[in-house]
Amino acid sequence: MTLSPANNDWPPSTDTSRNTIRDALALLRDEGLIDRAPRVGTRVAARKFDHGLDALLGLQETLEGRGTVRNEVRAGQLITAPPAVARRLEVAPGEQVVYLERLRFLGEQPLSLDLTYLTREIGAQILGHDLAHTDVFVLLEQLSGRSLGSADLTVEAIPADRHTAATLDVPDGAPLLMLERLTRLDDGTPVDLEYIRMRGDRITLRGSLSRGIPEWKVL
């Protein structure tokens, strides 16, 4: 209902205490219906999307059936590999790699900022393809003629720096999920190193774990 001077409910009643309002807002926040943040205030919470950790999938594959994933390609070029990147991709110091920066959307909502480093041989081929609508994982398999095999994965919480905050439309210092993933072909060759900054208010990471036989149970 919209209140106006012509409405009998205008002005709003002041009988409700601040404590009652505060408790109601806390309940709505706990149920995931609103977001509250310093310097931002209270707003209706955006819908969250599950991002599974059980399979090696690109974002389009992960969110299939939930909307259209598109990429705003902000950079795509050959660069000299930073030392940490060269080490992870197992290339010689000073060797060139392909660097991609993509802002990724589901519909009109920004979900993540992906910084990707690819080995030069396969990365140079990828630059000539449709990166706005195609997952890098799909192109890696198509162009190499091999399947992706495995990935090393790390997830941590980080504050949004000024560039990332402006790109993802969040306040400076807002909490983000940062996923670092090193992906290999099925023969063990590393080809793709990603640093993916995800909006924690729009992505939920989920996985299934199984327990092996503990050592204390082994006779």
Side-chain angles (χ1 to χ4, degrees), residues 33 64 66 93 103 107 162 165-166 173 184 215:
L33 298 176
E64 185 177 4
R66 302 177 194 177
L103 175 58
R162 181 172 298 180
R184 300 179 178 86
E215 185 177 345

Side-chain angles (χ1 to χ4, degrees), residues 113 115 158-170 176 197:
L113 179 64
L115 312 181
I158 63 169
D161 58 74
R162 181 172 298 180
H163 169 68
T164 304
T167 304
L168 290 178
D169 190 25
V170 297
L176 303 176
R197 291 164 170 81

